Amino acid sequence: MLGFALIVIVLLSLLQAIRFYKDGKWSINYIVLVGLIVVAALATTLALSAIPDTVQTAAFTLFGTIAGYLATRKIPTASSGGANDTAGVSTSPPE
């Protein structure tokens, strides 16, 4: 599993490098995908290891929390304000 994760991360890095070379833009989706792949690889390694169930339960809870955050995170688009997006919080003074 770790070998597969490494291959996928290398391929994603190659695709990101090509995109950056062509457009000069960095994609936040790349970081999210790499994070999810790393969490999946670590969870698989943990599942195959011989450690107590109580430790595995705590670690799987942490991995699930991280994966859930990465998967449901709202990624700003160019039409919604891009990198300067304030996540719906108004920055203008009240009238």
Side-chain angles (χ1 to χ4, degrees):
M1 178 62 186
L2 292 177
F4 175 74
L6 183 62
I7 290 170
V8 171
I9 290 173
V10 167
L11 290 175
L12 283 173
S13 299
L14 180 63
L15 289 173
Q16 179 60 37
I18 290 170
R19 178 183 176 172
F20 189 74
Y21 179 72
K22 285 176 115 178
D23 301 331
K25 296 179 182 176
W26 183 258
S27 175
I28 191 72
N29 293 331
Y30 166 75
I31 298 169
V32 171
L33 282 174
V34 169
L36 287 172
I37 291 168
V38 168
V39 167
L42 290 174
T44 303
T45 303
L46 180 67
L48 298 175
S49 66
I51 59 174
D53 289 340
T54 56
V55 175
Q56 281 187 349
T57 302
F60 282 131
T61 302
L62 179 62
F63 288 150
T65 303
I66 293 169
Y69 171 76
L70 289 173
T72 60
R73 185 173 179 271
K74 289 192 183 241
I75 298 172
T77 60
S79 62
S80 69
N84 296 326
D85 190 18
T86 57
V89 177
S90 175
T91 57
S92 61
E95 295 178 11

